[in-house]
Amino acid sequence: MSEALFHSTVMTEEEFETISAFVKSTCGINLHAGKKELVKARLSKRMRMLKLDSFEKYFAHVQRDVSGIELMGMLDCLSTNLTSFFREPAHFELLAKVMGELLATNAQTRKLRIWSAGCSSGEEPYTLAMTLAETAGQCGYDMKILASDLSTRVLAAARRGVYPHARLRGVPGELTSRYFTLVQARPERLYQVNESLRSLITFARVNLMESWPMAGPFDVIFCRNVMIYFDKDTQTRLVSRFQDMLRPGGLLFVGHSESLSGVRHNLEYVQPAVYRRRGRGD
């Protein structure tokens, strides 16, 4: 089957609306009309691989695949994963500042639990791990970070924890020396996150629209630059679920482009893109 056939394949409005409605119901991503060409381009790659010559046939294949493998492939294609180490650094500065308070709150259990929801290729949870190591590394607490994403592709990269030197641009030099090991010098320098950080993190595939396998509660939840893909109703439901997952006094961090304006919630505003569950206690 020729490449030209795929390049000329037309996605009808009905096909786009069917696929976008399915994606929204499956994982919450809101593919509005302006995303039609992006959806067409990304799914065409899957169609070429499967030798399918229409979006109707591709969608039927997704629905017939009881293994769920093609559904994951489809969602991998359509989800965007852009991130960096110490992205929006004010959040990590605040986390370091309140670490003493978090530890004091958990003095009886001597546990600290953080969730990086939408962890992409791992830069955020590894930044969280560095923040913990630097501010609470000697406290003797049981500290764990859950790092989840919808995409199995980026989770595999996150688990490896190997990054080209250019991706470490946001990491201070002393932290690079402390927490990364050079594993390849040529043709490009590659660094791997040290086991001291990797041991703090559990990576798992979690669809935020489905039931969650973990019980919580969490002291901190990071869900940044994920809700921009959801409509207000979906955002409201998700924020409510995050609130239920936080212990009283726990913190929710969202992206700076994700104002909760128009989203119903009972969280207390702390600073831009940071909210606290009301109340105190374990």
Side-chain angles (χ1 to χ4, degrees), residues 62-202:
V62 171
Q63 293 186 301
R64 285 196 305 268
D65 180 14
V66 294
S67 71
I69 292 173
E70 188 51 37
L71 172 60
M72 286 192 285
M74 178 189 194
L75 298 179
D76 274 0
C77 280
L78 296 178
S79 55
T80 301
N81 298 281
L82 298 174
T83 187
S84 60
F85 288 99
F86 289 95
R87 186 180 187 182
E88 299 178 357
H91 284 170
F92 300 102
E93 292 167 6
L94 175 64
L95 182 60
K97 183 179 179 180
V98 302
M99 188 59 64
E101 175 187 332
L102 294 174
L103 296 176
T105 298
N106 294 316
Q108 287 189 329
T109 62
R110 299 186 70 77
K111 292 181 179 181
L112 194 65
R113 297 291 184 263
I114 297 178
W115 180 13
S116 169
C119 70
S120 189
S121 48
E123 287 89 339
E124 179 177 275
Y126 288 126
T127 303
L128 288 168
M130 280 186 271
T131 304
L132 286 184
E134 290 294 299
T135 59
Q138 306 302 317
C139 70
Y141 276 45
D142 175 15
M143 298 186 294
K144 298 293 183 190
I145 298 167
L146 170 65
S148 71
D149 202 277
L150 179 67
S151 169
T152 54
R153 173 177 51 84
V154 297
L155 282 171
R159 286 190 184 96
R160 288 194 298 273
V162 177
Y163 302 93
H165 183 255
R167 295 275 287 278
L168 302 185
R169 191 176 296 111
V171 183
E174 66 273 17
L175 298 188
T176 300
S177 300
R178 198 171 299 153
Y179 298 115
F180 293 82
T181 299
L182 180 68
V183 293
Q184 175 183 295
R186 295 179 181 177
E188 67 174 338
R189 283 183 290 169
L190 296 179
Y191 290 81
Q192 185 168 38
V193 180
N194 291 348
E195 179 61 23
S196 62
L197 294 188
R198 292 164 65 192
S199 64
L200 295 174
I201 304 171
T202 299

